[in-house]
Amino acid sequence: MVSAHARVATARAGRYLAQLGEHGGHMSRRTFRRPRRHGDGGPAHVVHAERSDTDALIDFGWGRCTLRATDTELVLRAEATDPECLRRVQEGITARLELIGRRDHLTVTWHPEFPEAAEMAT
């Protein structure tokens, strides 16, 4: 597994977590007539999504993103089976978050996680 993380400063992290979690939930229940594409890869299909007031998970099967809302930031962690799938997770989450956070000028900057750091976090 490869992974990356991002910290997005915002006083409305809970609001953005809820919106991303809801979007992921809709994507897991919907069958599209025409596949919608996220990034250059195939259709983004969510196999599982769940959320609480402070945490969320969006799972694509080949990759996933976990989210945590604090009082000052939204913490994102993307992980995937390979670097290309990781890029797809990052691009999809970034595009959606920057779209819904455009009024607050949200910007997502991903940082790679090294295997040792990921093992220590679990």
Side-chain angles (χ1 to χ4, degrees):
M1 291 290 258
V2 292
S3 58
H5 70 277
R7 294 180 175 272
V8 181
T10 176
R12 300 195 291 179
R15 173 181 175 233
Y16 292 118
L17 178 131
Q19 287 182 284
L20 283 170
E22 184 176 328
H23 179 65
H26 288 305
M27 290 176 67
S28 70
R29 293 186 299 271
R30 230 182 244 171
T31 302
F32 299 108
R33 290 189 182 149
R34 281 189 249 163
R36 294 183 183 181
R37 297 198 177 272
H38 284 226
D40 296 329
H45 176 72
V46 175
V47 296
H48 178 74
E50 61 185 63
R51 72 179 166 96
S52 68
D53 290 342
T54 59
D55 296 282
L57 167 70
I58 302 171
D59 189 344
F60 298 96
W62 42 262
R64 68 185 190 167
C65 186
T66 55
L67 306 92
R68 172 161 288 154
T70 71
D71 291 340
T72 60
E73 64 185 359
L74 183 61
V75 181
L76 311 170
R77 183 168 190 268
E79 54 187 0
T81 55
D82 61 56
E84 177 60 23
C85 289
L86 179 63
R87 182 191 63 78
R88 289 176 59 197
V89 172
Q90 290 173 289
E91 287 180 358
I93 297 297
T94 298
R96 187 64 183 181
L97 183 55
E98 289 182 353
L99 176 68
I100 63 177
R102 66 188 176 278
R103 288 184 180 162
D104 290 336
H105 308 288
L106 295 188
T107 303
V108 180
T109 303
W110 292 95
H111 303 281
E113 285 186 354
F114 300 102
E116 306 83 39
E119 289 175 14
M120 292 172 66
T122 57

